[in-house]
């Protein structure tokens, strides 16, 4: 069965919005904070961990962009899994994404509130949590254009912060920054070697840093509310891929060259230490401000993505139908309210037990992202040829099908490594249990709705026969490109 998604969304997002969504979705607190744990685990060889993680994540982004440009749907990879693998897969991936991002919304609001509470300790953290949730809900309920503009400026601030750090670090390394001494390449090989903990350190760091690239999935959902999805998505993905590689790998390289890896602390941002070495006044406050912007940006984007996934599930009858209703501005306001429920629900326990809620929720996020990426890669493997036959491709993943199969193998290997590591095994088991429960529920629902399914010998067509034709303005005449 092919779900009958209707394009009733407002085409308000432009190419610049999508480009910044792609960048901002990946450049987040995982980069500014998580790099410390990677440095401590692998030393300078964390560069290899980030290179491998970036290669995997950017291949996923390319595949997602290819499908989103050809099939712009609010449910994104959930709809693609439905088409390629069956209703159970669409149900599972849709609710996996909803569950993890609903928790992520709360985590980001609480983490942002914790930063603000350190600046203004007289104001309780629960009040900042409530303010952050309310602001994000208002932005997402107003209209799609307001969301796009807010995310554009959030992402731009993050990009400028990373570029400024790279520029300052490069100036110091070349001896151009007054009052600083360039360490040259001493920290790259001189503190126990390039890989002081060997291959095991690179693998340990990889299992942590790969999750820093989560968040790019929202661009697939935004395609359904963009003007000319084919051109917009193609442009956003092509530019975002090399920019993300530059920002991530460039900033991490600067960190590795500026700091001895032994100075890194898993629970602290190495950017603070690096900025202090550069003589930047109030480096801790500057870094906290950047992290706060990253958290608010992620909160805003995750609320958008969660609400659109709930809307898509409701459209397919896999969530309460009331969540599929839109306002006159074409905003699924009820889905936005449902997406923000977990975040608002944390306000009371945060007021009663200040600081105790965030660690509990952070541990609940698990390895869900890898399961969603795996479903997307499998869907791409199935749908790509049918899309080629219909001539709907405007963006192509190079080396198909070998590239897609390599990504599937890499994700499977990461899951095996997580199972073998005592540190990551609990996260994997939690995510696997949730995925299995959702898959069983989805399969039972599919059997009840279609008790006598016919054997399917080919993937369903890219569009349902009952679907209304796309408006002419949304059609893209852009040729397929590599």
């Amino acid at each position: 069965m092919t779900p009958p998604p209707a394009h009733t969304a407002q085409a308000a997002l432009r190419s610049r919005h999508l480009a910044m969504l792609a960048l901002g979705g990946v450049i987040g607190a995982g980069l500014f904070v998580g790099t410390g744990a990677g440095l401590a685990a692998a030393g300078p060889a964390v560069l290899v961990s980030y290179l491998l993680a970036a290669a995997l994540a950017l291949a996923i982004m390319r595949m997602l962009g290819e499908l989103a440009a050809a099939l712009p749907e609010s449910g994104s990879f959930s709809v693609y899994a439905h088409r390629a693998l069956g209703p159970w897969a669409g149900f599972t991936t849709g609710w996996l994404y909803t569950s993890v991002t609903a928790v992520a919304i709360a985590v980001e609001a609480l983490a942002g509130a914790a930063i603000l509470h350190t600046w203004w300790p007289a104001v309780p953290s629960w009040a900042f949590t409530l303010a952050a949730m309310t602001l994000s809900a208002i932005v997402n309920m107003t209209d799609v254009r307001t969301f796009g503009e807010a995310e554009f400026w959030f992402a731009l601030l993050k990009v400028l912060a990373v570029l400024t750090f790279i520029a300052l670090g490069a100036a110091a390394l070349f001896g151009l920054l007054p009052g600083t001494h360039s360490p040259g390449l001493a920290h790259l090989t001189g503190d126990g070697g390039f890989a002081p903990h060997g291959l095991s350190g690179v693998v340990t760091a990889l299992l942590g840093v790969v999750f820093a690239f989560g968040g790019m999935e929202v661009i697939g959902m935004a395609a359904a509310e963009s003007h000319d999805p084919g051109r917009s998505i193609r442009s956003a993905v092509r530019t975002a891929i090399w920019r993300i590689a530059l920002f991530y790998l460039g900033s991490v390289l600067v960190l590795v060259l500026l700091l001895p890896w032994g100075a890194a602390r898993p629970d602290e941002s190495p950017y603070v230490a690096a900025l202090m070495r550069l003589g930047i006044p109030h480096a801790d406050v500057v870094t906290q401000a950047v992290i706060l912007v990253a958290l608010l940006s992620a909160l805003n984007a995750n609320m958008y993505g969660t609400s659109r996934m709930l809307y898509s599930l409701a459209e397919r009858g896999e969530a309460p139908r009331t969540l599929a209703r839109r306002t006159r501005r074409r905003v699924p306001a009820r889905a936005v309210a449902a997406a923000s429920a977990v975040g608002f629900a944390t306000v009371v326990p945060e007021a009663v037990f200040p600081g105790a809620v965030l660690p509990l929720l952070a541990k609940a996020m698990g390895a869900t992202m890898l399961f969603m990426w795996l479903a997307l890669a499998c869907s791409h493997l199935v749908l790509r040829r049918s899309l080629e036959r219909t001539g709907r491709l405007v963006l192509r993943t190079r080396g198909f099908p070998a590239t897609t199969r390599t990504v599937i193998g890499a994700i499977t290997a990461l899951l095996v490594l997580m199972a073998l590591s005592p540190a990551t095994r609990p996260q994997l088991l939690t995510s696997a249990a949730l995925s299995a429960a959702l898959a069983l529920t989805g399969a039972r629902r599919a059997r009840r709705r279609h008790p006598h399914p016919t054997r399917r010998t080919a993937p369903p067509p890219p569009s349902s026969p009952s679907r209304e034709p796309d408006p002419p303005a949304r059609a893209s005449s852009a040729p397929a490109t590599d």
Side-chain angles (χ1 to χ4, degrees):
M1 172 185 174
T2 302
H7 277 299
T8 57
Q10 182 185 22
L13 297 177
R14 304 302 186 200
S15 295
R16 65 184 181 89
H17 296 133
L18 293 180
M20 281 301 178
L21 270 174
L23 288 172
V26 177
I27 301 174
L31 172 64
F32 299 116
V33 180
T35 313
L39 271 171
V46 72
L47 285 167
V48 177
S49 303
Y50 268 105
L51 182 62
L52 294 173
L56 175 62
L58 297 179
I60 289 287
M61 177 181 281
R62 182 85 179 194
M63 289 187 284
L64 177 60
E66 178 183 308
L67 294 176
L71 301 169
E73 308 287 357
S74 292
S76 186
F77 54 88
S78 173
V79 173
Y80 310 146
H82 188 129
R83 295 182 189 276
L85 308 175
W88 69 271
F91 178 91
T92 302
T93 54
W95 279 106
L96 267 180
Y97 178 84
T98 299
S99 61
V100 73
T101 50
V103 173
I105 289 169
V107 167
E108 287 143 5
L110 289 166
I115 292 175
L116 292 171
H117 181 62
T118 61
W119 294 350
W120 295 285
V123 180
S125 59
W126 68 262
F128 286 123
T129 304
L130 179 61
M133 288 300 306
T134 302
L135 177 62
S136 184
I138 290 173
V139 167
N140 276 272
M141 284 190 178
T142 302
D143 57 34
V144 178
R145 185 62 178 265
T146 301
F147 159 77
E149 286 296 325
E151 197 58 26
F152 175 85
W153 291 107
F154 274 140
L156 183 60
L157 288 172
K158 290 190 289 186
V159 168
L160 291 175
V162 173
L163 287 176
T164 301
F165 175 78
I166 293 175
L168 287 172
L173 290 168
F174 284 104
L176 303 177
L177 202 65
T180 60
H181 171 70
S182 173
L185 301 179
H187 296 320
L188 193 63
T189 57
D191 302 316
F194 178 72
H197 296 151
L199 181 61
S200 62
V202 175
V203 172
T204 301
L206 176 62
L207 294 178
V209 303
V210 71
F211 294 100
F213 289 89
M216 64 183 178
E217 300 85 3
V218 72
I219 192 175
M221 299 169 205
E225 296 182 277
S226 65
H227 177 74
D228 194 354
R231 290 186 183 275
S232 298
I233 291 292
R234 184 185 66 175
S235 174
V237 169
R238 292 178 67 186
T239 57
I241 283 177
W242 69 264
R243 288 175 180 171
I244 289 171
L246 170 65
F247 297 155
Y248 255 89
L249 299 179
S251 63
V252 174
L253 176 61
V254 168
L255 280 175
V256 168
L257 293 175
L258 284 178
L259 292 175
W261 67 268
R265 298 290 180 268
D267 56 344
E268 296 178 3
S269 172
Y271 287 83
V272 174
L275 290 174
M276 290 180 66
R277 283 178 178 262
L278 298 179
I280 305 300
H282 309 294
D284 55 341
V285 177
V286 171
T287 305
Q288 283 183 332
V290 174
I291 295 172
L292 177 62
V293 170
L295 289 168
L296 293 177
S297 173
L299 169 60
N300 192 41
N302 277 327
M303 190 174 293
Y304 172 85
T306 308
S307 64
R308 269 45 178 190
M309 184 62 78
L310 283 170
Y311 169 81
S312 177
L313 289 167
E315 280 275 286
R316 288 176 274 154
E318 295 172 346
R321 292 282 187 181
T322 185
L323 299 180
R325 297 187 62 178
R326 288 181 179 265
T327 65
R328 282 181 290 182
R329 294 189 174 188
R330 313 311 305 158
V331 175
R334 296 185 181 185
V336 173
S340 62
V342 175
F344 279 114
T346 62
V347 173
V348 173
E350 178 65 14
V352 178
F353 305 104
V357 183
L358 179 58
L360 293 176
L361 290 180
K363 292 178 182 178
M365 302 190 60
T368 309
M369 184 189 76
L370 289 179
F371 286 101
M372 293 188 295
W373 284 6
L374 184 60
L376 172 62
C378 292
S379 302
H380 181 262
L381 191 64
V382 174
L383 292 177
R384 165 66 180 264
R385 289 190 175 92
S386 65
L387 290 174
E388 283 183 315
R389 288 194 297 269
T390 60
R392 299 187 64 163
L393 287 179
V394 296
L395 182 68
R396 294 177 185 269
T397 300
R398 295 174 181 173
F400 177 86
T403 300
T404 306
R405 288 171 178 162
T406 301
V407 167
I408 293 173
I411 296 173
T412 304
L414 282 175
L415 292 172
V416 172
L417 289 172
M418 290 189 71
L420 296 176
S421 171
T424 56
R425 191 180 301 132
Q427 301 176 42
L428 176 65
L429 294 177
T430 300
S431 298
L434 176 61
S435 301
L438 288 173
L440 288 172
T441 303
R444 288 172 183 162
R445 287 175 59 87
R447 281 198 299 268
R448 284 200 302 267
R449 296 173 69 176
H450 307 284
H452 303 292
T454 57
R455 181 176 178 83
R456 193 170 68 194
T457 58
S463 58
S464 172
S466 62
R467 176 178 167 182
E468 296 180 2
D470 292 337
R474 297 183 63 82
S476 175
S477 58
T481 177
D482 286 337

